[in-house]
Amino acid sequence: MTSSELWTRAMADRYDAEETELSSAAVLGPTLAFLAELAGDGRALEFAIGTGRVGVPLRERGVPVVGIELSEHMAAVLRRKVDEDTLPVVIGDMATTVVPGEFTLVYLVYNTISNLLTQDEQVECFRNAARHLRPGGRFVIELGMPPLRLLSPGQVAVPFDVSERHLGFDTFDLVEQVLVSHHLTRDGDDGRYRRDSSRHRYAWPAELDLMARIAGLELERRVADWNGAPFTEESAKHISVWRKPV
């Protein structure tokens, strides 16, 4: 069992259409290059592979990819793009599900570790990554920095998108380290908006490093984006790489 919220069929069917920018060459190119270099001549395992936004083109680059995905509906969308023999996917949660074999790379993109809503589950996710890695292999996470510096006294919400067809803002539980992302999305031209929300447990880089140490992994690199920009106090997110000792 997992605390992750399960993606429905409706959410899965519209996911790719709503994330077209993330599937652009400008975004995917550096991501794929970064991951392919770490995978080398080995296999890659993607936790929470979703509809295959990253896993499918990484496989097309020649990297053997296996996925773990909690939502059968998200996996069904991926399966429209590639068959099971080309890119196997196991239905299960990323904290405990085990697939056969060893990997040179395990990775989690687009804030997905925050879908696990407890610290214990996030620790188990690191342990599960270490379990699948061969010695010298890497675990990679892409995770946004919680924008708590933008909260003034008494403020409860921070906007992250204000555009013509979408309004998005986060609210925070500072004790439990849980944020709720709220979305108002205009589906058509009749002026109506669809409201959605999702819960996430945010974690600071130092907390993730401790989780890695518990799992027997060592921090190798932390950068601000897939292009390798330096990570600073102003960075909106980080790409962190932990290595399993030889």
Side-chain angles (χ1 to χ4, degrees):
M1 298 295 294
T2 177
S3 61
S4 296
E5 297 176 347
L6 194 61
W7 288 70
T8 65
R9 181 186 300 274
M11 296 164 68
D13 286 343
R14 63 175 180 257
Y15 180 82
D16 285 347
E18 293 183 345
E19 302 293 352
T20 54
E21 182 179 351
L22 289 174
S23 299
S24 66
V27 173
L28 273 184
T31 306
L32 299 176
F34 192 106
L35 296 174
E37 180 181 1
L38 290 180
D41 59 358
R43 298 196 303 159
L45 173 62
E46 180 171 355
F47 285 173
I49 195 170
T51 65
R53 178 183 66 88
V54 174
V56 171
L58 187 61
R59 181 65 185 89
E60 292 172 349
R61 282 199 169 209
V63 178
V65 177
V66 178
I68 293 175
E69 173 55 43
L70 183 63
S71 168
E72 294 185 17
H73 302 301
M74 294 288 276
V77 175
L78 179 150
R79 195 52 67 221
R80 300 171 197 164
K81 306 172 184 178
V82 64
D83 61 49
E84 176 71 17
D85 290 337
T86 303
L87 202 167
V89 175
V90 177
I91 301 300
D93 73 271
M94 56 187 164
T96 63
T97 301
V98 178
V99 301
E102 287 187 324
F103 298 83
T104 59
L105 173 67
V106 179
Y107 66 95
L108 259 176
V109 298
Y110 200 31
N111 306 319
T112 314
I113 194 171
S114 69
N115 291 358
L116 298 171
L117 298 178
T118 69
Q119 186 184 68
D120 285 344
E121 285 178 315
Q122 291 180 351
V123 168
E124 289 306 313
C125 182
F126 272 82
R127 284 178 167 154
N128 201 28
R131 183 180 299 123
H132 286 92
L133 286 172
R134 73 185 191 189
R138 275 90 169 191
F139 182 35
V140 176
I141 285 181
E142 174 188 23
L143 184 61
M145 294 292 293
L148 301 187
R149 296 170 64 192
L150 300 180
L151 286 173
S152 58
Q155 183 179 343
V156 297
V158 173
F160 58 84
D161 185 33
V162 180
S163 56
E164 182 180 356
R165 306 193 72 88
H166 178 255
L167 301 174
F169 58 93
D170 292 330
T171 55
F172 297 87
D173 181 335
L174 301 181
V175 174
E176 298 297 328
Q177 288 185 212
V178 171
L179 67 84
V180 181
S181 289
H182 305 266
H183 303 267
L184 292 171
T185 307
R186 193 168 71 183
D187 282 331
D189 296 323
D190 59 0
R192 296 184 180 182
Y193 281 78
R194 181 183 74 252
R195 180 173 182 176
D196 300 294
S197 64
S198 58
R199 293 186 300 155
H200 307 270
R201 183 186 186 273
Y202 62 86
W204 300 101
E207 184 181 5
L208 297 179
D209 289 343
L210 184 55
M211 294 180 189
R213 289 178 61 187
I214 291 171
L217 304 176
E218 302 171 345
L219 180 67
E220 181 176 76
R221 181 170 30 147
R222 174 166 293 126
V223 292
D225 58 33
W226 296 107
N227 289 305
F231 177 73
T232 72
E233 63 181 13
E234 302 298 330
S235 299
K237 71 174 184 180
H238 62 94
I239 315 296
S240 296
V241 181
W242 297 274
R243 184 173 180 269
K244 184 173 183 177
V246 176

